[in-house]
Amino acid sequence: MAIGYSNGANICASMLLLRPEILSIAILFRPMVPLVPEPLPNLSKKRIFISAGLHDSIMAKLPNQGSY
């Protein structure tokens, strides 16, 4: 299990993307997308909670994302 806020959340996200076998649960507060690996790992069996602000000026939601 990993819990991270801001840059700590980015480190946790990087671990999930690069070494998904070492984490089964992640709680990420205000993460950003640290990298996009090729190929993308299958995270469908992972328990991941991501919390981000609706009006976050640094990491705004994308136009195709619906209401929370």
Side-chain angles (χ1 to χ4, degrees):
M1 172 192 246
I3 301 172
Y5 172 78
S6 190
N7 197 43
N10 297 341
I11 293 168
C12 295
S14 296
M15 290 170 59
L16 280 167
L17 293 170
L18 296 174
R19 298 284 306 275
E21 70 278 3
I22 63 176
L23 290 175
S24 59
I25 301 171
I27 301 172
L28 311 176
F29 295 99
R30 302 210 42 200
M32 296 176 70
V33 178
L35 55 98
V36 179
E38 289 289 333
L40 289 173
N42 179 357
L43 301 176
S44 64
K45 301 221 187 283
K46 306 295 180 182
R47 296 177 61 192
I48 303 169
F49 174 83
I50 298 176
S51 175
L54 185 59
H55 302 286
D56 190 332
S57 61
I58 295 174
M59 191 65 181
K61 71 177 186 171
L62 298 173
N64 64 345
Q65 291 177 319
S67 299
Y68 298 115

